[in-house]
Amino acid sequence: MNRRRLTLQALNTWEKRPFNYGVADCCQFAAHVANVITGRDYTNAFPIYSSEDEANRIIATWGGLAPMLRSILGEPSEQLEDGDPVLLDLPGGIGEVLAIKLGVHAVGLAEARMVKIGPRYWREGWHLWRP
């Protein structure tokens, strides 16, 4: 199965539920997609947290979301395919969030739904190898 189909399958199997830190947030969403694509469960690689404050404290200990993601996913790549995690830097006080690549957009979680975000907000991404 090709990457696009696997990514769409992952989006379709994501259990729609309200945004909830540590359960249904940007990192858990990207980990779900990665699991469908690679068969590797990344959810255990993220520290346990259950609130925005806890998530922010953990991210701060790493010096930001990007260094934390590098420790889990390795060095960023310029060669991204559908389903690969993409770190975004969003305006309006939102800041760094993790999404996944789908075509020329990134798809991420908002409070109530999945959203598409253009590449101008992409900071870096990681290519996930499929065994």
Side-chain angles (χ1 to χ4, degrees):
M1 190 176 291
N2 70 33
R3 287 289 291 254
R4 179 127 182 127
R5 285 180 109 176
L6 286 169
T7 302
L8 293 173
Q9 177 185 340
L11 295 178
N12 286 328
T13 59
W14 173 255
E15 183 183 328
K16 294 177 182 168
R17 54 198 167 217
F19 188 95
N20 185 6
Y21 282 94
V23 178
D25 61 23
C26 67
C27 292
Q28 301 304 313
F29 171 70
H32 169 76
V33 174
N35 190 357
V36 171
I37 289 173
T38 68
R40 182 172 176 203
D41 185 0
Y42 287 90
T43 55
N44 296 328
F46 292 98
I48 297 171
Y49 56 96
S50 60
S51 70
E52 182 176 10
D53 287 341
E54 287 178 8
N56 287 334
R57 277 195 296 276
I58 291 167
I59 291 167
T61 64
W62 285 95
L65 189 53
M68 186 176 93
L69 292 170
R70 282 188 207 105
S71 77
I72 296 168
L73 300 172
E75 287 303 310
S77 174
E78 295 291 321
Q79 304 299 321
L80 300 176
E81 295 182 56
D82 286 339
D84 286 337
V86 179
L87 180 64
L88 310 174
D89 191 4
L90 299 177
I94 297 172
E96 293 180 327
V97 297
L98 190 58
I100 58 105
K101 181 184 183 311
L102 183 62
V104 297
H105 292 92
V107 174
L109 290 184
E111 290 291 325
R113 66 186 192 286
M114 290 181 203
V115 294
K116 287 194 317 187
I117 300 122
R120 80 185 238 191
Y121 298 109
W122 296 18
R123 191 162 153 206
E124 55 194 21
W126 291 264
H127 180 63
L128 301 177
W129 296 97
R130 184 165 183 238

